[in-house]
Amino acid sequence: MPYPNLLSPITLAHLTLPNRVLMGSMHVGLEEEGGNFPKLSAYFAERARGGVGLIVTGGVAPNRAGQVKPFAATLNSASEARRHKHVTDAVHAEGGRICMQILHAGRYAYHPWNVAPTRLKATISPFSPWGLTAGGVRSTINDFIQCARLARDAGYDGVEVMGSEGYLINQFIARATNHRTDEWGGSFANRMRFPVEIVRGIRQALGPDFVIIYRLSMLDLVQDGSTWAEVLELATAIEQAGASLLNSGIGWHEARVPTIATLVPRAAFTWVTQRLRESGAVSIPVVTSNRINTPEVAEQVLASGAADMVSLARPFLADPEFVKKAAENRANDINTCIACNQACLDHVFQNKRSSCLVNPRAGYETEIVIRPTTKPIRVAVVGAGPAGLSAATVAAERGHKVTLFEAAPHIGGQFDLARRIPGKEEFSETLRYFRGRLHATGVNVQLNTRVTQADLAGNFDAVVVATGVGPRNLTFPGHDHPKVKSYMDVLLGAPVGKRVAIIGTGGIGHDVAEFLSEPADKKPRNDEDSLRHFLQEWGVDYDGWGVSASPAGGLCPAVVPSMEREIVLLQRSSAKGGSRLGKTTGWIHRATLKKRGIKIVSDVRYDRVDDAGLHVHIDGQAQVLDVDTIVVCAGQVSRTELVAPLQSAGMVVHVIGGAEEAAELDAKRAIARGAQVAIGL
Ligand code: FAD
Ligand code: NAP
Ligand code: SF4
């Protein structure tokens, strides 16, 4: 067996799971509308078919006050339970198992009727909560129990009680958010009474044949969060109240420590569940989570004794067959989640349906269907960036005869530059995956081949132009001075001086700033040192955690890295620098630059470059920036030179990715568009 720990069975309450993999709760945006339940069912059924041990749904509120936003998914009536039956039947028909997460958002709810233990507004919400009365607390507990009852009626194998990420239950537990003086506040015994009564009530109401997972916040990462002693006390009490499984939560939503973004080292928080297990505070199985995205890492975590199960969430958007492929010893075929958040979490915050950058079918299982073609044709795809890779592999999968031409000696296009950015190493996995798909689907790959219209005309029935983008060149005097370099040159190793000005504050400007400011003493990723560096840089108490003086919330002063370069980012506009970065990751990039002393200067007019440096006007004042290197990250232009000649030659031409539109381009759009065009061929 390839992964003996990962693929070994485990029994929870009445249920034996075939493996140790839990699909963690994710809200995908299909939950709210009744009409979407068939789509939601197809989404879950595909994951059940892929062999995951146990699925946990996105959060469902036990009452209206607990809804994450107005009209969010709620389960408090028999008619709602009947709709959920679509989902549970679909999963069970595939031999899967599924629990429903009960989530009360408390003061994180995005509506004015939100409630909390105490009237304290969250920094990330515009709405002040109503303080729950003692009667309100009791009725909320009853709503949780009733919700669990309805979940069982709907056919769920159990429920997960959401006790982490800073939602209502967490708000009761932490001193930071619970200032009550009645039986629900004050001492820790009082503050934890709320979750303990919920779990006890559900167990009493539903008996032993029902799985109760409790998601316990093991590391709050906020001031006045739980201490380690409190975490252990709560874990023991939750087990005694009747939980079958303890899942782990790391960091409240308002925490200012990255916990799942791509720069977080893989398995960066498994030491927390390890310490829980070693404490002997519980005997029920414990699930560890966060940035576990390959079967190798999952196996290693389980083999080390850090947990009894692993929770993977986004990896199941990227590849529903994660477990099946692992079991068939085909880990290399797994489409790995690169933790970019661009199509999943960022969409949630934009009120859009979640999908996946590397798998545009995620969430669209009934809408994006790849069927074999009935009329195979000869297809040329020009450019092996994300758009071309996606188009070539999907077209070949459908049965077309595909040749992929790439001017460079390797595949990847701009993505090959992205993977060189510190903290974006995961992007290499996507290229590894596409390499495997090119081989498996029989695409004829021609590297080192810059094609022209003459190479293509007459030899193909259709051409997909995926020639992407190139850097926008500047035109002001001195733009060709030796101090001026494009981001491409810099990322490919051109020498850069100690004092640097970066022109452009988009995604690439930020990435280049991080690339140039990466502390030289940073060790390779995924070893103990790299983890320690990450935790120290973000102020997580790794070494002191667990000792009696451990700080509340697990925070400690961050270590400020020593900088070898002086870097400034410049932009012409007066908008807030970095405001167009991803919703859930932009703050991390801004915080990183701040820690490293890198400033963003707005309202800049570029005059010229000469030996003295970069001459600019800032706020109307002339200045010379005495820098050694000026890196141009001023956006992209489409490479379209093939399009008109091919069209004039009467060929069928499809233009995709950056070649189609450079503005607002990212790999999410490029990959999705490639698949869309290939499906239409
Ligand atoms: P490209 O990636 O530009 O690929 C085009 C390919 O066509 C190239 O390989 C080129 O050599 C080839 N080609 C061109 N002309 C010819 C020809 N005549 N014959 C043969 N081959 C030809 N996006 C994200 O979504 N998230 C990120 O975090 C992210 N980070 C980035 C960081 C950096 C540093 C950079 C540079 C980019 C980043 N991007 C990111 C952007 C992302 O990489 C691009 O949006 C994406 O690569 C565009 O895909 P594409 O296939 O359209 O074009
Ligand atoms: P971008 O986001 O469009 O930023 C271009 C920058 O260049 C802006 O700061 C712009 O600011 C400046 N600029 C534009 N024209 C200029 C000119 N003529 N002279 C001087 N400055 C000029 O583009 P990008 O940084 O190249 O990124 C390309 C795409 O890659 C993005 O759309 C993004 O989606 C993707 N990407 C994403 C990530 C990610 O983390 N998700 C990371 C990297 C890249 P002013 O006009 O104000 O000067
Ligand atoms: Fe993972 Fe990015 Fe896909 Fe989200 S969008 S599942 S983070 S690869």
Side-chain angles (χ1 to χ4, degrees):
M1 189 151 69
Y3 303 97
N5 289 283
L6 190 68
L7 301 177
S8 67
I10 183 169
T11 299
L12 311 171
H14 63 303
L15 206 62
T16 298
L17 311 179
N19 56 62
R20 306 290 177 119
V21 188
L22 179 142
M23 173 172 151
S25 172
M26 284 179 289
H27 180 268
V28 287
L30 288 170
E31 295 84 351
E32 275 68 43
E33 295 165 41
N36 278 342
F37 266 73
K39 291 179 189 165
L40 193 61
S41 303
Y43 158 78
F44 280 125
E46 194 158 317
R47 271 90 198 146
R49 203 158 47 243
V52 61
L54 178 62
I55 293 172
V56 179
T57 68
V60 175
N63 58 29
R64 191 164 160 264
Q67 292 172 324
V68 173
K69 59 183 181 185
F71 310 112
T74 314
L75 179 57
N76 58 7
S77 72
S79 63
E80 282 162 335
R82 276 195 290 279
R83 284 215 301 268
H84 282 259
K85 199 104 183 41
H86 280 288
V87 168
T88 56
D89 284 347
V91 168
H92 292 148
E94 297 293 347
R97 296 137 297 268
I98 184 163
C99 292
M100 191 193 83
Q101 187 187 72
I102 310 180
L103 181 153
H104 191 304
R107 69 179 194 155
Y108 279 172
Y110 206 79
H111 52 69
W113 56 93
N114 73 97
V115 297
T118 304
R119 293 205 67 170
L120 291 167
K121 194 175 92 60
T123 48
I124 57 171
S125 168
F127 299 105
S128 282
W130 299 94
L132 278 168
T133 61
V137 177
R138 280 272 165 225
S139 75
T140 305
I141 293 172
N142 289 336
D143 290 341
F144 268 88
I145 298 166
Q146 174 63 2
C147 186
R149 227 184 247 123
L150 289 166
R152 191 184 53 183
D153 295 347
Y156 287 105
D157 300 292
V159 289
E160 175 171 86
V161 175
M162 179 43 151
S164 67
E165 316 320 89
Y167 291 116
L168 182 72
I169 289 181
N170 238 180
Q171 294 158 23
F172 267 92
I173 294 166
R175 197 183 296 280
T177 41
N178 183 344
H179 295 180
R180 299 176 76 101
T181 51
D182 61 3
E183 60 175 323
W184 305 102
S187 68
F188 188 65
N190 279 356
R191 282 185 275 130
M192 72 173 185
R193 191 186 307 280
F194 183 66
V196 169
E197 294 220 359
I198 288 170
V199 173
R200 188 181 294 129
I202 295 174
R203 181 56 77 212
Q204 279 170 358
L206 298 180
D209 292 346
F210 193 67
V211 174
I212 303 176
I213 310 168
Y214 182 83
R215 182 103 177 257
L216 197 151
S217 183
M218 299 196 189
L219 198 54
D220 290 338
L221 301 177
V222 293
Q223 296 296 334
D224 276 335
S226 293
T227 63
W228 185 238
E230 289 171 345
V231 169
L232 296 183
E233 194 178 334
L234 175 62
T236 306
I238 290 291
E239 173 171 3
Q240 285 167 359
S244 333
L245 185 64
L246 278 186
N247 195 357
S248 52
I250 304 290
W252 290 24
H253 287 315
E254 61 201 90
R256 293 291 90 179
V257 177
T259 54
I260 59 166
T262 189
L263 89 166
V264 176
R266 288 177 176 175
F269 293 97
T270 54
W271 52 275
V272 182
T273 44
Q274 177 134 30
R275 289 177 190 187
L276 171 65
R277 283 183 99 225
E278 285 169 2
S279 74
V282 290
S283 57
I284 51 174
V286 174
V287 188
T288 199
S289 67
N290 290 52
R291 288 287 285 117
I292 299 169
N293 64 342
T294 69
E296 286 73 22
V297 172
E299 175 67 18
Q300 209 179 351
V301 165
L302 294 175
S304 73
D308 303 278
M309 287 183 72
V310 285
S311 167
L312 285 69
R314 297 169 298 168
F316 282 103
L317 291 177
D319 197 331
E321 295 194 321
F322 182 99
V323 175
K324 185 168 180 272
K325 289 178 181 173
E328 292 169 356
N329 220 353
R330 293 195 294 126
N332 214 38
D333 296 345
I334 291 175
N335 196 358
T336 307
C337 166
I338 58 172
C340 64
N341 283 355
Q342 286 176 236
C344 51
L345 265 189
D346 281 353
H347 280 204
V348 170
F349 284 92
Q350 293 161 353
N351 279 327
K352 294 202 298 212
R353 196 190 306 179
S354 286
S355 185
C356 173
L357 180 142
V358 299
N359 173 24
R361 281 196 70 245
Y364 292 83
E365 285 72 15
T366 58
E367 292 145 277
I368 302 179
V369 183
I370 300 173
R371 291 198 177 88
T373 178
T374 49
K375 283 193 188 146
I377 56 168
R378 295 165 305 162
V379 182
V381 178
V382 187
L389 290 168
S390 171
T393 50
V394 173
E397 182 181 340
R398 295 190 55 228
H400 294 301
K401 191 167 167 18
V402 181
T403 306
L404 174 63
F405 297 101
E406 169 53 53
H410 50 76
I411 64 164
Q414 296 250 315
F415 223 57
D416 184 65
L417 294 174
R419 73 179 179 84
R420 293 163 203 261
I421 304 296
K424 285 194 176 178
E425 292 84 352
E426 289 285 5
F427 286 40
S428 300
E429 298 291 351
T430 304
L431 300 184
R432 185 260 309 146
Y433 169 76
F434 272 123
R435 239 173 257 122
R437 290 300 296 156
L438 290 172
H439 181 70
T441 55
V443 174
N444 174 10
V445 182
Q446 302 285 324
L447 299 175
N448 294 305
T449 310
R450 178 172 294 282
V451 286
T452 61
Q453 174 265 338
D455 302 315
L456 304 171
N459 298 326
F460 294 94
D461 304 307
V463 180
V464 178
V465 176
T467 45
V469 288
R472 174 182 286 124
N473 293 321
L474 300 179
T475 51
F476 53 73
H479 65 88
D480 50 358
H481 190 278
K483 281 177 188 272
V484 181
K485 303 214 158 92
S486 92
Y487 68 82
M488 275 186 165
D489 300 334
V490 168
L491 296 178
L492 292 174
V496 174
K498 295 278 181 207
R499 293 158 306 166
V500 181
I502 296 175
I503 293 183
T505 61
I508 293 180
H510 275 75
D511 275 357
V512 168
E514 289 184 30
F515 177 84
L516 292 175
S517 62
E518 181 72 351
D521 61 349
K522 202 132 180 186
K523 299 282 186 301
R525 291 165 63 79
N526 300 333
D527 63 7
E528 175 81 11
D529 283 341
S530 129
L531 174 63
R532 198 178 296 270
H533 269 93
F534 165 76
L535 296 170
Q536 282 174 344
E537 186 172 353
W538 290 94
V540 180
D541 183 38
Y542 179 51
D543 296 312
W545 182 254
V547 301
S548 55
S550 74
L555 294 173
C556 66
V559 173
V560 180
S562 51
M563 286 299 103
E564 290 175 3
R565 288 196 172 96
E566 253 177 63
I567 301 174
V568 62
L569 281 134
L570 309 170
Q571 64 177 29
R572 298 170 305 175
S573 68
S574 50
K576 189 177 161 212
S579 54
R580 284 183 300 159
L581 299 177
K583 284 261 174 215
T584 61
T585 49
W587 69 270
I588 302 172
H589 295 296
R590 290 190 290 271
T592 301
L593 297 197
K594 198 168 165 200
K595 280 173 202 287
R596 298 181 182 181
I598 300 172
K599 289 211 171 67
I600 296 182
V601 179
S602 306
D603 293 311
V604 179
R605 199 185 81 203
Y606 307 109
D607 297 328
R608 66 181 187 283
V609 179
D610 59 24
D611 290 348
L614 174 60
H615 297 252
V616 292
H617 274 75
I618 297 174
D619 281 338
Q621 299 285 314
Q623 294 187 29
V624 185
L625 305 180
D626 179 13
V627 290
D628 309 307
T629 309
I630 295 139
V631 189
V632 182
C633 307
Q636 319 287 334
V637 286
S638 298
R639 285 194 287 226
T640 54
E641 57 275 11
L642 269 181
V643 179
L646 286 171
Q647 283 168 339
S648 309
M651 299 201 70
V652 176
V653 181
H654 304 272
V655 189
I656 61 171
E660 184 182 30
E661 167 84 74
E664 308 286 321
L665 171 69
D666 61 10
K668 177 178 71 172
R669 166 149 67 81
I671 290 175
R673 183 77 176 103
Q676 185 197 23
V677 158
I679 285 170
L681 284 173

